[in-house]
């Protein structure tokens, strides 16, 4: 739990620069409408295919016998998926029950109220965010363990029904994206819309969807995907314990890895408010699908693989290496995110002290060095950000690498997260650089010269 700090001046000073969330320079991304349609068709098919490979085929690729067999192979794949992963009432009760339980906690749990950037789209208004994700997370963990050990709901039901739960999650994300799009259009409140329905549904037109005090973007980014991912891994561990009488090191590793990630996301909720995803990105099918379905059901492949194929029997040295990579990566990821976000919060006059576990050294930089831009913003060039521009991404990639290494090299799928994440980060960094170059001009050139490396000093 945490001991919540108090905001000494809850409403930030009015002299803080506007964050330009109304950037009107529209550019089609991901190949425009055709690319958007391909993503909306391709990502669910990719998830279904990978599920069959990992859950039903030991982590091996499922391929047609020949080119001529492709049609029959696709039919067999579809039939098998329907047999073991079709949406079911059990899947709906588990997924939607958890989702709405977290929604309820978001309204009732205690937590400090924080304020985001001034939004030009709202006439300079700052939105309030009730940051109680940490309480919600721990209440959810304690409740889940109580249900499991009392026998009211065995957590092994998650892995036993993973296919139907995943299918419900995908359908729910499509429905929710449609609802957000329809309400936004009806209210004539579209932002950065292209005018193409397919593209706008995929990439979004709603900037700040809210249900009363509940901010949908903040909620769907933190309170469903990462806790759900943790519970999938925990379910795998309980399943292995039932089958073998013990939990192998690789599954204990994944439970720790996913607990660290979920706990960090929720303990640092107030830091996320000033992130790109919240102040700039539009709520969209793209965000909703990956937060509500893609993250928990694509990043869990290592846990499923080591359950289906374990115990792996690796040496103590190998396990120590993987645990070391995880802990070192986590330290730099947690402190890196904390340094940049608390720097923003300091200058946004919203910095508070929270004693959420774990609090790591070097999470805040006193008298941090920065470059002042003519736009009004400040660019951090201190702490880890004195060496590279994206140290938190580097640390994240190290952690994702450890998630694959703990499973060995018998399958590609434990490395899917690393592969996909690397592609996403390279695209995002390129997009960020282009936008910042437009926004800051020569100030961005100076920043690039001051901190020339993106991920690794003197390498890249």
């Amino acid at each position: 739990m945490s001991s919540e700090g108090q905001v000494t001046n809850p409403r930030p000073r009015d002299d803080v620069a506007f964050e330009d969330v109304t950037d009107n320079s529209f550019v089609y991304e991901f190949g425009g409408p055709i690319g958007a349609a391909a993503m909306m068709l391709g990502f669910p098919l990719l998830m279904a295919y990978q599920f069959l490979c990992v859950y039903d085929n030991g982590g091996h690729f499922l391929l047609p016998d020949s080119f001529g067999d492709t049609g029959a192979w696709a039919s067999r794949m579809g039939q098998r998926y329907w047999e073991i992963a079709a949406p079911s009432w059990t899947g709906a009760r588990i997924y939607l029950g958890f989702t709405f339980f977290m929604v309820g906690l978001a309204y009732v749990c205690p937590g400090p109220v924080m304020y985001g950037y001034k939004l030009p789209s709202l006439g300079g208004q700052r939105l309030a965010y009730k940051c109680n994700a940490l309480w919600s997370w721990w209440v959810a963990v304690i409740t889940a363990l109580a249900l499991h050990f009392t026998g009211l709901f065995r957590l092994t039901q998650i892995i036993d029904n993973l296919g139907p739960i995943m299918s419900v999650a995908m359908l729910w994300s499509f429905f929710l994206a449609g609802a957000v799009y329809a309400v936004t259009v009806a209210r004539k409140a579209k932002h950065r819309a292209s005018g193409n329905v397919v593209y706008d549904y995929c990439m979004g037109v709603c900037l700040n969807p809210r249900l009363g005090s509940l901010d949908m973007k903040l909620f769907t980014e933190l309170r469903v995907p990462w806790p759900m991912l943790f519970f999938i891994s925990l379910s795998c561990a309980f399943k292995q314990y039932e089958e073998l009488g013990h939990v192998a090191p690789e599954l204990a590793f994944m439970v720790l890895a996913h607990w660290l990630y979920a706990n960090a996301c929720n303990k640092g909720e107030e830091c996320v408010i000033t992130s790109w995803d919240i102040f700039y990105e539009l709520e969209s099918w793209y965000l909703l699908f990956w937060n509500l379905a893609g993250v928990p059901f694509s990043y869990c492949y290592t846990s499923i693989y080591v359950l289906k194929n374990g115990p792996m029997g690796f040496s103590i040295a190998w396990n120590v290496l993987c645990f070391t990579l995880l802990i070192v990566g986590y330290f730099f990821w947690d402190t890196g995110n904390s340094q940049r976000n608390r720097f923003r919060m300091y200058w946004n006059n919203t910095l508070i002290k929270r004693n959420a576990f774990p609090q790591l050294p070097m999470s805040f930089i006193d008298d941090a060095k920065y470059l002042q831009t003519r736009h009004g913003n400040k660019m951090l060039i201190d702490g880890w950000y004195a060496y590279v521009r994206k140290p938190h991404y580097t640390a994240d990639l190290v952690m994702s690498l450890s998630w694959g290494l703990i499973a060995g090299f018998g399958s590609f799928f434990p490395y899917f997260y690393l592969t996909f994440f690397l592609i996403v980060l390279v695209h995002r960094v390129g997009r960020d650089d282009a936008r910042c170059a437009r926004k800051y001009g020569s100030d961005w050139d100076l920043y690039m010269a001051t901190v020339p490396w993106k991920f690794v000093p003197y390498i890249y």
Side-chain angles (χ1 to χ4, degrees):
M1 297 295 182
S2 69
S3 174
E4 303 294 353
Q6 298 296 318
V7 184
T8 56
N9 180 13
R11 292 190 179 276
R13 297 186 302 267
D14 288 336
D15 61 352
V16 181
F18 276 69
E19 186 57 42
D20 187 11
V21 296
T22 56
D23 182 357
N24 292 317
S25 53
F26 178 81
V27 177
Y28 272 130
E29 295 186 80
F30 301 110
I34 295 176
M39 285 197 299
M40 289 189 288
L41 175 64
F43 282 150
L45 290 177
L46 176 64
M47 288 179 60
Y49 172 77
Q50 293 187 124
F51 172 80
L52 289 176
C53 291
V54 179
Y55 193 88
D56 198 44
N57 198 47
H60 303 295
F61 286 104
L62 288 161
L63 302 172
D65 296 332
S66 65
F67 181 77
D69 182 52
T70 303
W73 168 82
S75 178
R76 293 194 301 270
M77 295 284 285
Q79 182 179 356
R80 181 56 180 162
Y81 184 83
W82 189 257
E83 289 173 357
I84 66 173
S88 68
W89 287 114
T90 299
R93 284 195 298 270
I94 293 172
Y95 183 81
L96 296 179
F98 173 75
T99 298
F100 286 110
F101 178 66
M102 297 301 284
V103 169
L105 292 178
Y107 284 109
V108 303
C109 284
V113 175
M114 306 295 293
Y115 290 83
Y117 285 127
K118 290 190 287 187
L119 301 178
S121 58
L122 297 178
Q125 176 185 349
R126 298 180 189 274
L127 294 177
Y129 299 84
K130 188 177 182 181
C131 295
N132 57 8
L134 183 64
W135 276 92
S136 299
W137 156 243
W138 277 107
V139 169
V141 170
I142 293 169
T143 301
L145 291 175
L147 291 173
H148 177 80
F149 287 112
T150 59
L152 295 175
F153 176 79
R154 301 289 289 177
L155 290 177
T156 51
Q157 292 186 57
I158 297 175
I159 189 62
D160 290 340
N161 295 277
L162 192 65
I165 298 171
M166 181 180 75
S167 295
V168 169
M170 290 193 286
L171 292 172
W172 176 247
S173 65
F174 273 89
F175 167 78
L176 201 58
V180 170
Y181 178 81
V183 170
T184 304
V185 171
R187 295 178 60 189
K188 298 181 180 179
K190 294 190 293 184
H191 291 268
R192 303 196 303 272
S194 71
N196 182 280
V197 174
V198 172
Y199 184 84
D200 288 345
Y201 170 81
C202 178
M203 299 305 296
V205 293
C206 183
L207 184 59
N208 303 113
R210 293 204 151 205
L211 295 172
S213 62
L214 180 68
D215 185 88
M216 284 184 61
K217 276 198 298 185
L218 191 60
F219 176 86
T220 55
E221 180 162 327
L222 299 181
R223 305 196 191 201
V224 174
W226 302 108
M228 178 65 76
L229 178 63
F230 166 74
F231 285 124
I232 291 172
S233 289
L234 187 61
S235 175
C236 290
F238 280 131
K239 186 71 174 180
Q240 188 175 69
Y241 185 83
E242 286 187 357
E243 294 175 347
L244 303 178
H246 70 277
V247 177
E250 55 272 7
L251 254 180
F253 174 96
M254 292 311 303
V255 171
L256 173 63
H258 290 162
W259 179 85
L260 285 171
Y261 214 107
N263 184 71
C265 288
N266 287 284
K267 80 181 177 75
E269 179 186 27
E270 73 279 4
C271 296
V272 181
I273 293 170
T274 55
S275 70
W276 170 280
D277 287 353
I278 301 304
F279 76 73
Y280 184 82
E281 291 281 24
L282 300 167
E283 188 71 298
S284 60
W285 174 88
Y286 177 69
L287 284 184
L288 286 168
F289 182 85
W290 277 107
N291 282 331
L292 301 181
V295 167
F297 300 101
S298 292
Y299 297 173
C300 64
Y301 293 141
T302 300
S303 299
I304 300 171
Y305 177 78
V306 297
L307 171 66
K308 297 288 184 178
N309 296 276
M312 308 305 291
F314 296 130
S315 67
I316 293 176
W318 184 258
N319 289 331
V320 168
L321 171 65
C322 292
F323 273 91
T324 301
L325 283 175
L326 172 65
I327 298 303
V328 171
Y330 175 79
F331 175 81
F332 284 99
W333 174 73
D334 189 310
T335 56
N337 277 303
S338 183
Q339 285 177 6
R340 71 186 179 107
N341 286 311
R342 288 178 177 171
F343 172 78
R344 292 171 180 167
M345 293 169 68
Y346 174 81
W347 287 104
N348 204 33
N349 203 29
T350 56
L351 181 66
I352 63 173
K353 179 177 176 56
R354 303 185 74 184
N355 296 321
F357 176 80
Q359 287 297 310
L360 301 176
M362 303 185 72
S363 293
F364 178 72
I365 308 167
D366 292 313
D367 299 320
K369 299 175 184 177
Y370 60 87
L371 292 179
Q372 178 67 57
T373 70
R374 285 184 291 272
H375 181 276
N377 290 24
K378 296 171 174 62
M379 296 179 180
L380 178 63
I381 53 170
D382 209 339
W384 310 138
Y385 294 85
Y387 304 99
V388 291
R389 301 197 297 273
K390 305 292 184 181
H392 53 298
Y393 286 169
T394 305
D396 219 340
L397 288 169
V398 170
M399 286 195 295
S400 65
L401 174 62
S402 74
W403 295 11
L405 292 176
I406 196 66
F409 301 99
S411 172
F412 160 76
F413 295 101
Y415 296 90
F416 169 78
Y417 173 47
L418 172 64
T419 305
F420 177 77
F421 193 44
L422 182 60
I423 294 171
V424 169
L425 289 188
V426 170
H427 171 266
R428 167 169 275 198
V429 169
R431 184 176 66 166
D432 288 357
D433 286 351
R435 177 176 177 270
C436 288
R438 293 196 306 270
K439 180 176 179 179
Y440 298 116
S442 60
D443 289 332
W444 183 250
D445 295 334
L446 176 60
Y447 174 66
M448 295 272 283
T450 305
V451 188
W453 307 104
K454 290 183 181 180
F455 296 132
V456 182
Y458 306 104
I459 296 178
Y460 181 72

